[in-house]
Amino acid sequence: MDCTSNPISRTNIPFHASGALEFVLELAIGTPPKPYPFLLDTGSGLIWTQCKPCSKCMKQPSPIFDPSKSSTFSHLSCSDNLCQALSQSNCTRNQCQYFYSYADQTYSIGDFARETFTLGTNSDVKVSMAIGCGHTNAGNLNNSSGIAGFSRDETSMVSQLGIPGFSYCMNDDINKRTLLKFGTQEEIFRDIKAKVQATKFVDPPPGIEAYAGLYFVSMTGITVGTKRLSIPKSVFDKGMIVDSGSTFTELPNVAYNKLKKALQSSTKWSPSNITILDLECFSTGSIRPSQVKLPKLIFHFPGMNLDIPRDNYIVDMDEKGVMCLAIMNADSFGIIGNGLQTNMQVLYDLKNSKLVIAPNQC
């Protein structure tokens, strides 16, 4: 698809916080089009919503989608390339069925179909895409009515649209709307005056090829204040994935403990038995947590030194007298979660396979 001349490449889609530490796109599906909020998830590769008849469904803000009321809904055959691209599928009467699951145990099972999407604020921009129509679903949709996978998997929304890149700016104010934009680096950052930096996407390390569609970057180190932490390069060998669908950033064990120790020594905070959302919290004594001054924090990547604002990695709980580190200990590869990306213009440059970031007050 030549996106330079296609109206899809100039589409802006309303984008905002869901109120549940996640971010949603406002899309419309079916004919006639019905509005549905979809979680934007760069860590997965399927678009799906819950459908009637629903044997098991989660709570969602929109009515359950009824495919019988849409004139453009059609089942995909088992021989369709997109059905073949699913990691888990089944075939019943030559109709493709899917099973998709997530790290938080959310899952969806149903029919893999084709449906018309209306994109953004321009109701003339319509596109037909494969969508999961879930009849058995469980987990948590976090105030959305479906999940829009934006990985590089063949079944994802971005792969089906064939766009050169997409960009968002996350703001955690649920009353403030921003836009998801499709386009190139030149288009996205044209009016941004702040420093623009980029780092290349890399392949996942051996042994986790199943995650090949995700957006891995190489992390090379961490600076706290003026001191580069002594972290062996091998600690970051498994890479970091950029994941809009994960709230908190996760660092490999050695890096996490080095960061925590450096912050503790510079602020004199002490461990607290209070935990918030599984985050480690620290007592600040007689000082209100929000008034504690923290040293500069920089994450290093090839070609990028990312200055992390205080609010992106600290949760202040003044009423409890603690501050919590909004970074967690990773079990495997690291994750750059959406909290760390707040008030940054983030571009996934698919054409040139790189991540581009600049500070931006969304």
Side-chain angles (χ1 to χ4, degrees):
M1 181 185 296
D2 180 7
C3 284
T4 59
S5 60
N6 193 296
I8 293 173
S9 67
R10 298 186 297 277
T11 297
N12 295 328
I13 301 176
F15 177 67
H16 58 89
S18 71
L21 304 177
E22 300 282 2
F23 292 82
V24 299
L25 297 173
E26 297 292 345
L27 302 172
I29 53 177
T31 305
K34 303 292 184 182
Y36 283 82
F38 283 78
L39 289 180
L40 171 64
D41 185 16
T42 59
S44 66
L46 184 72
I47 321 165
W48 65 272
T49 189
Q50 302 184 117
C51 290
K52 291 183 177 181
C54 204
S55 62
K56 185 177 183 181
C57 272
M58 296 171 274
K59 182 180 178 181
Q60 66 176 51
S62 311
I64 301 296
F65 182 68
D66 187 347
S68 70
K69 300 291 179 61
S70 172
S71 63
T72 47
F73 181 90
S74 62
H75 291 275
L76 281 182
S77 71
C78 301
S79 60
D80 190 284
N81 288 340
L82 289 177
C83 181
Q84 298 291 322
L86 289 169
S87 57
Q88 292 181 279
S89 63
N90 196 11
C91 187
T92 302
R93 297 187 298 276
N94 197 33
Q95 292 181 355
C96 186
Q97 297 177 319
Y98 73 94
F99 171 79
Y100 208 87
S101 61
Y102 300 83
D104 68 353
Q105 309 306 312
T106 295
Y107 68 84
S108 178
I109 304 171
D111 300 320
F112 203 36
R114 184 166 290 279
E115 182 57 287
T116 296
F117 283 71
T118 304
L119 303 180
T121 54
N122 185 350
S123 60
D124 293 332
V125 180
K126 297 180 183 294
V127 60
S128 177
M129 288 190 289
I131 180 174
C133 197
H135 301 296
T136 304
N137 318 278
N140 193 344
L141 283 175
N142 295 305
N143 295 335
S144 77
S145 298
I147 298 178
F150 265 61
S151 75
R152 290 182 284 188
D153 292 340
E154 193 175 346
T155 52
S156 76
M157 186 168 175
V158 292
S159 294
Q160 292 192 62
L161 291 175
I163 55 176
F166 63 94
S167 179
Y168 53 69
C169 192
M170 292 177 168
N171 185 300
D172 56 11
D173 184 349
I174 62 174
N175 296 312
K176 188 170 183 178
R177 264 49 176 172
T178 60
L179 295 171
L180 176 85
K181 301 178 179 181
F182 299 150
T184 64
Q185 180 174 339
E186 292 72 25
E187 293 166 339
I188 299 299
F189 292 92
R190 181 181 297 131
D191 300 321
I192 293 178
K193 306 302 181 185
K195 183 179 180 180
V196 178
Q197 301 184 83
T199 192
K200 283 283 189 180
F201 291 128
V202 298
D203 294 330
I208 55 173
E209 287 81 3
Y211 298 98
L214 302 187
Y215 300 100
F216 279 85
V217 292
S218 294
M219 192 168 180
T220 56
I222 300 172
T223 291
V224 176
T226 58
K227 182 180 179 182
R228 180 91 172 228
L229 302 184
S230 177
I231 303 173
K233 184 180 178 181
S234 60
V235 167
F236 300 110
D237 278 353
K238 290 186 177 181
M240 302 277 289
I241 64 167
V242 190
D243 185 7
S244 67
S246 291
T247 300
F248 300 115
T249 291
E250 298 184 15
L251 291 174
N253 181 267
V254 171
Y256 174 81
N257 287 322
K258 291 266 189 179
L259 171 61
K260 184 175 67 172
K261 183 178 180 181
L263 290 173
Q264 280 184 268
S265 64
S266 64
T267 60
K268 307 304 181 186
W269 62 21
S270 57
S272 169
N273 58 7
I274 296 174
T275 58
I276 307 294
L277 298 172
D278 294 328
L279 302 177
E280 283 198 74
C281 299
F282 304 86
S283 173
T284 57
S286 60
I287 305 174
R288 288 171 63 87
S290 58
Q291 295 177 342
V292 174
K293 292 185 178 180
L294 294 175
K296 182 184 284 288
L297 175 62
I298 300 173
F299 282 8
H300 300 284
F301 307 87
M304 179 188 294
N305 299 306
L306 192 61
D307 195 338
I308 312 298
R310 182 191 193 282
D311 289 347
N312 289 22
Y313 72 96
I314 291 293
V315 178
D316 293 311
M317 304 293 291
D318 283 354
E319 69 280 7
K320 296 181 182 294
V322 299
M323 60 196 312
C324 306
L325 183 59
I327 296 174
M328 305 177 80
N329 204 345
D331 294 328
S332 180
F333 48 77
I335 296 174
I336 300 174
N338 61 44
L340 203 78
Q341 303 174 50
T342 303
N343 287 319
M344 297 182 185
Q345 193 69 46
V346 180
L347 167 67
Y348 297 70
D349 185 337
L350 306 178
K351 183 178 180 181
N352 298 297
S353 192
K354 63 182 180 179
L355 178 72
V356 188
I357 297 179
N360 190 20
Q361 291 301 311
C362 307

